[in-house]
Amino acid sequence: MNHAYKINKIRSFVEQNKHQVNLISNKLLIINLQELKKSAYHLFYELIKLKHAQQAQSHHQISDLFNLIKNTTEVLSLEMKLLDKLEHWWLEWYFALQMHEQLSAESKEMPMSFLSRSTLNPMRKHEISHYAKLFSVLPMPVCNVCSKTGDIIRVNQRFVDVFGYTVEDVPNLHAWWKKAYPDPHYRVQAQNLWSEALKKAKSSNDDIPANNYTVARSDGTQVVMEVSGIKIGEEFLAVFKDATERIEAEDILRDMAFLDSLTKIANRRRFDEKLAHEFDKAKECEGAISLIIIDVDFFKQFNDRYGHLAGDSCLYEVAQTIASTVNRPEDFVARYGGEEFVVLLPDTDKEGALFIAEQIQKAVEALAIVHEDTYSGFLSVSMGVNSTASSQDDKVSFVKGADNALYYAKDQGRNCIALHSES
């Protein structure tokens, strides 16, 4: 099967499946992971897994194949990410295929270097064959542990490749805990989490449930692994699955849920949560907290005169300008709705809030966005500010105070800042 055929098949796969993926913050988000992975495996099986083991492609040839596609074709960033993902899967599957072919050959036994030398009762040949096959078809780290003694009986090649530890390095769980979790405080957390998982498995007479653990490799680097277990008599198999991709996808989805799609700052939902947290914190500590509500002056007229695309661009620029002006880590900027934005300033009194509002006003003026329906001929904003150091105020009245100040600023002719006062 020549290279040109394989390249065309892979290109065709990417073209047909790119609609199933999105590229957000340079990270690939796959809409239907299982279906895409299944299709990718079918293509892998067709192009890589041949009838005779000696004809199978090496992992170097797989990498060379993908590098050839990337270097000889004009590939968009989304397609490049999809190619990277496809290559990663194929290398994993090739590893499993290679291990399976090696271990199923009649002349081969399971490599004894992956068996604990402290095993008192050597396994029967059919048991070795059973575990060897199981280990080979799992393209993820696996280790076999004696439940009673804590001895690590065997690990697979993938375990050694990912973590850098052999059975000689971690002959038992005591050694594993110390090497994989060198920080004593985190080690206690990891051990407690694993103990809870064991209790759940015992009470439900089921497998050991999965949890995330940050594992230290032999070279000192760390990786987040989803670790679960399968009980087999007096032993259990600990199965490690790289959780990085899943966690990144969850982070992206969480960010999407709290991100305003137009302005790329936080949305109203996220503001409501942040306000509840920061206001309760300020109330508990009897500290100051301030809020600025910002309204783009005569925005409806801007939309009517210049069109909705220009209006969208205007809102994006204003939002990003506000966000870049408010630069303390604890400060928070969000789109409140329509052409309104909010700035939440923890540990900030009214003087500090007014200073920030003035900086925002200057920054928006510096954009010099033409708006013929304003008095100045350029885009401007009106702002209402409210600050509180009183533990008696509630969130609703706090926001209402800033809103009332905003209406006052608009009544005064706009392009100005008003501070809420009880009087």
Side-chain angles (χ1 to χ4, degrees):
M1 195 177 293
N2 60 45
H3 257 40
Y5 176 80
K6 293 175 186 175
I7 288 172
N8 287 334
K9 292 286 285 187
I10 294 171
R11 284 176 179 165
S12 177
F13 176 88
V14 171
E15 183 64 29
Q16 291 173 9
N17 291 279
K18 64 183 182 182
H19 67 279
Q20 295 191 45
V21 300
N22 290 318
L23 194 60
I24 301 173
S25 300
N26 205 33
K27 295 177 181 177
L28 198 68
L29 183 64
I30 301 174
I31 298 169
N32 193 331
L33 178 62
Q34 292 305 318
E35 285 299 318
L36 183 63
K37 207 166 187 178
K38 184 178 178 181
S39 300
Y41 185 76
H42 287 161
L43 184 62
F44 166 82
Y45 194 91
E46 175 189 347
L47 301 183
I48 304 301
K49 189 182 186 309
L50 304 180
K51 292 182 179 179
H52 303 289
Q54 62 269 24
Q55 291 181 306
Q57 310 299 303
S58 75
H59 67 279
H60 295 298
Q61 288 172 307
I62 292 173
S63 295
D64 290 344
L65 180 65
F66 278 92
N67 285 333
L68 189 61
I69 295 172
K70 295 171 188 176
N71 294 330
T72 59
T73 311
E74 289 188 10
V75 183
L76 300 176
S77 57
L78 176 65
E79 295 168 343
M80 183 67 75
K81 289 290 182 181
L82 185 52
L83 281 169
D84 288 340
K85 178 62 66 178
L86 197 62
E87 181 182 2
H88 173 77
W89 285 341
W90 281 25
L91 290 172
E92 288 279 349
W93 293 330
Y94 175 76
F95 169 79
L97 170 65
Q98 185 185 47
M99 290 294 293
H100 179 72
E101 294 290 353
Q102 289 176 353
L103 292 168
S104 25
E106 291 183 359
S107 61
K108 297 287 184 180
E109 292 280 348
M110 184 176 187
M112 297 306 290
S113 61
F114 304 132
L115 296 176
S116 171
R117 301 187 188 281
S118 64
T119 304
L120 299 176
N121 299 313
M123 291 182 295
R124 293 186 299 275
K125 189 172 183 178
H126 76 273
E127 289 177 322
I128 292 179
S129 174
H130 169 73
Y131 283 112
K133 185 174 182 181
L134 178 62
F135 281 19
S136 70
V137 298
L138 287 174
M140 58 187 69
V142 181
C143 70
N144 188 195
V145 182
C146 177
S147 301
K148 287 189 173 181
T149 65
D151 289 335
I152 295 178
I153 302 169
R154 63 187 70 79
V155 299
N156 68 347
Q157 179 62 50
R158 191 60 179 156
F159 184 97
V160 180
D161 291 342
V162 171
F163 299 120
Y165 304 121
T166 65
V167 172
E168 284 69 29
D169 298 317
V170 284
N172 51 53
L173 286 180
H174 177 72
W176 167 253
W177 287 118
K178 291 190 71 173
K179 287 181 179 289
Y181 308 98
D183 183 317
H185 298 292
Y186 183 70
R187 186 188 311 147
V188 171
Q189 294 177 29
Q191 288 173 325
N192 290 339
L193 189 59
W194 181 252
S195 296
E196 287 298 317
L198 290 175
K199 288 178 184 177
K200 286 182 182 179
K202 186 175 181 180
S203 63
S204 61
N205 195 28
D206 202 352
D207 294 334
I208 302 167
N211 287 298
N212 292 338
Y213 300 81
T214 302
V215 182
R217 299 185 180 102
S218 62
D219 63 2
T221 60
Q222 293 185 326
V223 60
V224 180
M225 304 297 290
E226 182 183 88
V227 186
S228 58
I230 304 169
K231 296 179 65 177
I232 306 175
E234 297 298 331
E235 301 173 6
F236 67 83
L237 290 179
V239 182
F240 299 79
K241 182 180 178 183
D242 192 333
T244 306
E245 179 181 314
R246 177 179 58 78
I247 291 171
E248 287 180 351
E250 289 173 356
D251 288 343
I252 291 171
L253 290 173
R254 184 166 54 251
D255 290 344
M256 288 174 64
F258 292 126
L259 191 71
D260 179 65
S261 59
L262 173 62
T263 60
K264 307 305 179 187
I265 61 173
N267 61 15
R268 173 67 180 271
R269 176 184 171 189
R270 181 69 181 110
F271 167 72
D272 290 340
E273 290 191 1
K274 185 72 171 177
L275 174 65
H277 173 74
E278 292 295 346
F279 191 87
D280 290 345
K281 181 179 172 183
K283 194 172 182 180
E284 183 179 333
C285 301
E286 297 187 357
I289 186 171
S290 295
L291 177 68
I292 306 172
I293 301 182
I294 305 165
D295 183 80
V296 178
D297 293 331
F298 302 112
F299 185 71
K300 182 181 182 303
Q301 290 88 332
F302 186 95
N303 260 339
D304 291 342
R305 180 180 288 273
Y306 303 108
H308 288 284
L309 288 178
D312 289 348
S313 177
C314 168
L315 289 178
Y316 174 81
E317 288 192 58
V318 170
Q320 293 299 311
T321 298
I322 296 170
S324 62
T325 304
V326 182
N327 49 27
R328 287 193 317 173
E330 62 267 33
D331 296 338
F332 184 80
V333 178
R335 186 180 182 188
Y336 197 54
E339 66 271 20
E340 288 189 340
F341 303 93
V342 284
V343 178
L344 188 64
L345 304 166
D347 300 316
T348 305
D349 57 18
K350 62 182 179 182
E351 288 79 11
L354 286 171
F355 174 78
I356 295 296
E358 289 170 0
Q359 298 306 304
I360 292 171
Q361 186 180 51
K362 292 175 182 177
V364 172
E365 288 176 354
L367 291 174
I369 298 174
V370 174
H371 186 357
E372 296 177 44
D373 294 303
T374 64
Y375 304 119
S376 65
F378 293 95
L379 190 82
S380 62
V381 292
S382 298
M383 285 177 270
V385 180
N386 190 20
S387 299
T388 179
S390 171
S391 60
Q392 301 305 312
D393 290 332
D394 60 76
K395 293 185 288 290
V396 175
S397 61
F398 178 57
V399 175
K400 183 67 174 174
D403 203 37
N404 289 340
L406 173 63
Y407 276 102
Y408 182 82
K410 292 164 75 171
D411 286 342
Q412 299 307 303
R414 304 186 190 240
N415 191 23
C416 64
I417 304 165
L419 176 66
H420 173 69
S421 172
E422 293 296 339
S423 59

